[in-house]
Amino acid sequence: MYSKLKWNYKVDKLANKVALVTGASKGIGAAIAKQFAAEGAKVVVNYASSKEGADRVVQAITENGGRAISVKGDVSNPEDIVRIFEETKNAFGGLDILVNNAGIYQYEPIEQVSAETFHEQFNINVLGSILAIQGSLKLFGEAGGSIINISSEAGKTPLPTGSVYSATKAALDAITISLSKEFSGKNIRINSILPGVVETEGSRSAGFIGSEAERKLVASTPLGRTGQPDDIAKVAVFLASEDAAWITGEKISVSGGIYGL
Ligand code: NAP
């Protein structure tokens, strides 16, 4: 006999899990932190400088009965990384899920690319992810873990003036595939999510939202709109959960079906 009314209860997909989301003070990272908490995870909300934004995310989580802390730290700084993981361990005892979301994007013609803008984007988007993955390996327990790299459609189909940014995301996807094999036998899954254009504080301040370029992209998007942070966050929940227990080394586009972005 099946247990009575079992189907009536919502099962928290991330119950008893601890998750660290880098760059979670706003945008896609904030949405992921909130969706993770809504599914039962204890969440570390990392940020670089926007303490107020991070505290708002923590407050939204705790007001809904969840648990979260905010931790300041630049993911490209090895000392900050050590502290972020120490604070994670002190607060929640370990780690099960890492989301490498912190990232910056700068579109500029090749003539304007400088060593500074190159290193800034590679340091945060690529080195920062590597350092965070190294930190997570020390905290994942016997049961393994799940790592989600927030990459971009731009890494797969680069746009003009996005050579360096696209290169950082293509590099991140290569890291996803390489490490999925390197982690063989450890039950550590690692996957990339490739968002299309998503309306965030970052894409708004870059001038993209409301621009002619956005209108053109939406016009060639089968699902006919710009993405919202929750579109990405729901897929992150899936990849972090047991529902994705047999998925690793994948690059999953979440972009309304746009091809040739
Ligand atoms: P956003 O609104 O600009 O937010 C960026 C977040 O990253 C903020 O929380 C910021 O913290 C944090 N951050 C920046 N540098 C950091 C550092 N060195 N260390 C730690 N945190 C840092 O960005 P978004 O649009 O949500 O994008 C999030 C991710 O999605 C990025 O990796 C981006 O490349 C990717 N993505 C975005 C889109 C899009 O259309 N929005 C499309 C494809 C991929 P502070 O607020 O404290 O500075």
Side-chain angles (χ1 to χ4, degrees):
M1 204 172 95
Y2 63 86
S3 55
K4 262 198 304 186
L5 299 178
K6 200 171 177 185
W7 45 269
N8 254 352
Y9 296 98
K10 175 181 177 289
V11 178
D12 286 341
K13 293 186 176 204
L14 304 178
N16 303 316
K17 301 288 185 195
V18 177
L20 164 62
V21 185
T22 67
S25 59
K26 56 174 82 126
I28 292 170
I32 293 173
K34 288 187 230 173
Q35 290 275 350
F36 276 13
E39 290 293 345
K42 290 168 248 179
V43 183
V44 178
V45 175
N46 161 252
Y47 65 99
S49 58
S50 308
K51 183 177 182 337
E52 268 185 27
D55 287 345
R56 266 198 304 275
V57 174
V58 169
Q59 192 183 354
I61 289 171
T62 51
E63 279 176 1
N64 275 300
R67 289 182 63 191
I69 58 164
S70 66
V71 178
K72 181 177 164 72
D74 173 354
V75 292
S76 67
N77 179 329
E79 287 169 15
D80 284 11
I81 285 283
V82 169
R83 196 174 34 73
I84 291 167
F85 284 90
E86 271 172 9
E87 292 193 28
T88 300
K89 190 173 180 198
N90 291 342
F92 299 130
L95 187 72
D96 304 286
I97 302 158
L98 166 69
V99 181
N100 280 316
N101 167 79
I104 56 168
Y105 29 96
Q106 187 155 348
Y107 281 84
E108 54 188 1
I110 190 65
E111 294 83 356
Q112 280 172 30
V113 171
S114 63
E116 197 185 348
T117 57
F118 174 92
H119 288 303
E120 199 184 8
Q121 291 183 85
F122 265 88
N123 280 349
I124 296 173
N125 299 2
V126 184
L127 177 63
S129 299
I130 289 173
L131 294 174
I133 289 168
Q134 289 174 333
S136 74
L137 295 180
K138 295 180 187 146
L139 287 197
F140 286 158
E142 291 287 297
S146 173
I147 298 168
I148 299 166
N149 290 327
I150 304 299
S151 173
S152 175
E153 275 292 318
K156 200 171 74 178
T157 318
L159 287 172
T161 74
S163 56
V164 174
Y165 172 65
S166 296
T168 67
K169 295 302 188 177
L172 193 55
D173 290 340
I175 289 165
T176 294
I177 295 168
S178 173
L179 292 183
S180 69
K181 296 171 184 170
E182 195 168 323
F183 295 153
S184 179
K186 296 185 174 163
N187 203 31
I188 298 173
R189 299 182 297 105
I190 179 165
N191 293 287
S192 284
I193 294 178
L194 283 55
V197 177
V198 179
E199 186 176 355
T200 64
E201 286 83 340
S203 59
R204 242 179 269 128
S205 66
F208 194 78
I209 300 303
S211 71
E212 182 58 16
E214 184 200 14
R215 199 194 58 72
K216 279 189 185 153
L217 284 174
V218 169
S220 56
T221 299
L223 293 179
R225 64 173 172 83
T226 294
Q228 292 299 316
D230 273 346
D231 292 318
I232 311 304
K234 287 173 187 165
V235 179
V237 167
F238 164 69
L239 284 175
S241 77
E242 281 303 302
D243 290 346
W246 212 41
I247 300 178
T248 195
E250 294 291 351
K251 299 180 280 178
I252 298 177
S253 291
V254 186
S255 60
I258 194 164
Y259 181 74
L261 177 71

